[in-house]
Amino acid sequence: MPRTRASPTRRRGRRSWRIAGAMGDGFMLVERTDLRVAAKGAVFEVSEAKRWLLGGYDRGHLAHLPFPITMEMALGFRFTAERFHERGFVNRLVEPEAVLPTAIDMAHHLLSLPPASRVNTVHMMRQMRPRPSPAQKDLAAALHKHGALSDLIESRAAFAEKRAPNFKGWDDLQDRYRLPQLREG
């Protein structure tokens, strides 16, 4: 049986709301939050495309961002906090020293709401988030294996050795034209 980690937002079987303050780190934690505070000048990056055979295809999709922005995210481009704030991915953009006080102020506001209203509203909003379909998840699983698996090791080695990677691409070059397909139904 695979090991699982406890959710950092689960306490004694109850789910809580999540606010993250980002200072240029922890993208995957931030994207799982309900409200986001970022420091001016912070930089965000989805790095799966640099380390795996499939980039973070669902990142921007889950955040309702426009397709060109999600494409940039999936391909590992960097984003400033200012740009993410303009696109609606970050709720509050503040000076670095104001990140924690701003997140605490937002938490105080949440605590000022009637408990049932707060819980019900957060639950409803989370239900409205887009999710990849089962067919898209199946395609992603196939694409995670499509290509030279040696590139995974090469990517990490090049990063650790601070050198340019020497990628192979595919073990059989014709696989470049035999991409797995989305299967609906």
Side-chain angles (χ1 to χ4, degrees):
M1 173 173 266
R3 295 175 64 192
T4 60
R5 294 185 309 180
S7 168
T9 60
R10 226 178 243 287
R11 300 282 188 260
R12 295 187 185 130
R14 293 180 300 169
R15 287 194 72 113
S16 60
W17 33 266
R18 300 165 288 222
I19 301 172
M23 296 185 77
D25 208 356
F27 186 87
M28 290 179 77
L29 175 63
V30 171
E31 73 177 344
R32 289 181 175 91
T33 61
D34 299 313
L35 301 168
R36 299 169 185 146
V37 180
K40 292 178 181 176
V43 177
F44 297 83
E45 177 183 281
V46 178
S47 59
E48 285 97 332
K50 296 177 181 180
R51 308 282 174 256
W52 300 97
L53 297 180
L54 178 63
Y57 72 95
D58 57 347
R59 302 290 180 239
H61 171 73
L62 299 175
H64 287 282
L65 294 174
F67 180 79
I69 302 296
T70 64
M71 180 63 81
E72 273 189 85
M73 290 173 71
L75 291 172
F77 284 89
R78 290 184 174 187
F79 287 81
T80 63
E82 290 79 1
R83 186 158 181 228
F84 267 162
H85 185 256
E86 291 168 3
R87 302 307 312 163
F89 187 77
V90 168
N91 298 87
R92 304 281 192 278
L93 183 64
V94 299
E95 296 299 330
E97 64 275 4
V99 169
L100 190 55
T102 301
I104 290 170
D105 287 346
M106 293 173 83
H108 283 279
H109 171 76
L110 293 174
L111 291 172
S112 76
L113 300 173
S117 174
R118 180 182 60 239
V119 169
N120 293 344
T121 301
V122 169
H123 177 72
M124 184 65 194
M125 294 302 295
R126 287 179 183 164
Q127 300 313 302
M128 293 169 53
R129 283 182 177 160
R131 293 174 178 85
S133 70
Q136 290 168 328
K137 288 180 181 181
D138 290 345
L139 177 59
L143 288 168
H144 272 290
K145 301 173 194 167
H146 186 75
L149 296 178
S150 61
D151 280 355
L152 300 176
I153 296 166
E154 174 59 15
S155 172
R156 289 163 179 79
F159 178 78
E161 297 166 11
K162 297 183 181 357
R163 62 172 172 80
N166 183 18
F167 293 127
K168 184 176 180 181
W170 292 267
D171 294 321
D172 177 349
L173 292 179
Q174 291 305 307
D175 282 344
R176 161 65 181 91
Y177 306 102
R178 293 188 288 251
L179 292 165
Q181 299 299 309
L182 185 64
R183 305 222 190 281
E184 294 291 344

